[in-house]
């Protein structure tokens, strides 16, 4: 399908993936159709936050009521309210520290303002898989490769699943968290994914 830049109109679909808000593209990329959804893929290294994106962040600063979180090196941090977790209250909230890793969803990404993320589903209040990611290994990959893994899958994931038992979280900001049954498995899985990232081209798997 067509290439788009921020502000371009996109076709009408039942569902839109990250990078598309209503009928317009928020970031540059190639439009791709999957069933009744319209996705926006690119192979950029730089990530620009967009509403609804699933991201992996690293806590860089802890405040009284909010945390500052890095979604990518050398880019502006986003903020995470300390109550933006399932069942969190002022007396009972996650005790996150600098360096901790979270899987979150972007809920606000306006121009010239700090983007905001949450670690729960806003409609249900449940974690829905979001929250702190403990142990494991963080991989830095291209934004396009991360988006492709999250929305369309990849043969390498099936290949690894047939050999190892592992947990995986994918952020469209170009970060992947992987945790195998032990350190050796985690490192082998990580290396296999990084190898695929190096040869990934969006057109190959469109």
């Amino acid at each position: 399908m067509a290439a788009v830049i921020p502000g371009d109109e996109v076709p009408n679909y039942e569902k839109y993936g990250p990078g598309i808000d209503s009928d317009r593209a928020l970031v540059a990329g190639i439009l791709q159709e999957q069933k009744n959804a319209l996705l926006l893929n690119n192979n950029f290294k730089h990530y620009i936050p967009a509403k609804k994106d699933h991201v992996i962040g690293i806590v860089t600063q802890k405040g009284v009521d909010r945390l500052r979180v890095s979604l990518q090196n050398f880019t502006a941090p986003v903020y995470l309210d300390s109550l933006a977790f399932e069942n969190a209250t002022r007396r009972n909230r996650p005790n996150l520290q600098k360096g901790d890793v979270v899987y979150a969803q972007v809920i606000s990404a306006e121009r010239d303002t700090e983007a905001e993320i949450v670690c729960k589903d806003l409609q249900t209040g449940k974690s829905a898989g979001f929250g702190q990611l403990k142990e494991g290994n963080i991989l830095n990959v291209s934004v396009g490769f991360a988006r492709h893994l999250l929305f369309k899958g990849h043969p390498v994931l099936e290949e690894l699943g047939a050999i190892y038992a592992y947990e995986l979280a994918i952020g469209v900001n170009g970060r992947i968290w992987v945790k195998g049954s032990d350190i050796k498995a985690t490192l082998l899985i990580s290396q296999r994914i990084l190898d695929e990232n190096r040869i990934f081209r969006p057109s190959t798997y469109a």
Side-chain angles (χ1 to χ4, degrees):
M1 299 184 72
V4 294
I5 60 174
D8 282 355
E9 293 187 2
V10 300
N12 185 33
Y13 275 77
E14 290 184 16
K15 298 180 181 179
Y16 296 109
I20 303 174
D21 186 18
S22 184
D23 60 349
R24 292 187 180 277
L26 299 176
V27 297
I30 305 296
L31 295 175
Q32 293 184 343
E33 179 183 3
Q34 183 177 359
K35 297 182 180 179
N36 295 322
L38 186 65
L39 310 179
L40 199 158
N41 206 349
N42 62 51
N43 203 34
F44 302 152
K45 292 183 178 180
H46 181 66
Y47 169 71
I48 300 174
K51 195 173 180 181
K52 299 180 182 179
D53 278 0
H54 292 187
V55 294
I56 293 175
I58 300 173
V59 176
T60 58
Q61 184 178 344
K62 180 179 180 180
V64 176
D65 296 315
R66 62 167 58 180
L67 305 161
R68 293 176 72 83
V69 178
S70 169
L71 298 185
Q72 201 176 61
N73 295 334
F74 311 112
T75 61
V78 300
Y79 83 85
L80 170 63
D81 193 294
S82 60
L83 298 179
F85 295 81
E86 181 180 4
N87 298 326
T89 66
R90 294 198 175 276
R91 293 186 177 183
N92 179 30
R93 49 188 171 183
N95 184 27
L96 293 171
Q97 303 296 325
K98 183 177 179 179
D100 285 343
V101 180
V102 295
Y103 189 44
Q105 178 179 198
V106 178
I107 62 168
S108 175
E110 302 298 329
R111 182 177 296 180
D112 301 325
T113 62
E114 192 174 41
E116 180 181 2
I117 60 175
V118 296
C119 288
K120 64 180 179 181
D121 185 298
L122 292 179
Q123 292 184 330
T124 65
K126 302 296 184 181
S127 65
F130 299 117
Q132 184 179 3
L133 299 173
K134 299 181 180 180
E135 301 176 343
N137 193 23
I138 296 292
L139 314 179
N140 292 306
V141 300
S142 72
V143 171
F145 183 62
R147 287 182 182 274
H148 194 96
L149 287 182
L150 184 61
F151 295 107
K152 304 193 76 172
H154 191 287
V156 71
L157 298 183
E158 297 181 9
E159 172 190 319
L160 291 169
I163 303 172
Y164 305 101
Y166 68 96
E167 299 176 63
L168 189 76
I170 302 169
V172 296
N173 54 321
R175 281 184 177 151
I176 296 174
W177 172 84
V178 60
K179 181 182 178 182
S181 56
D182 54 36
I183 295 177
K184 182 179 179 180
T186 299
L187 293 176
L188 288 171
I189 295 167
S190 298
Q191 188 58 57
R192 185 70 180 87
I193 292 174
L194 289 173
D195 288 343
E196 286 298 323
N197 171 65
R198 277 190 282 271
I199 64 174
F200 174 76
R201 298 292 182 275
S203 60
T204 304
Y205 301 98

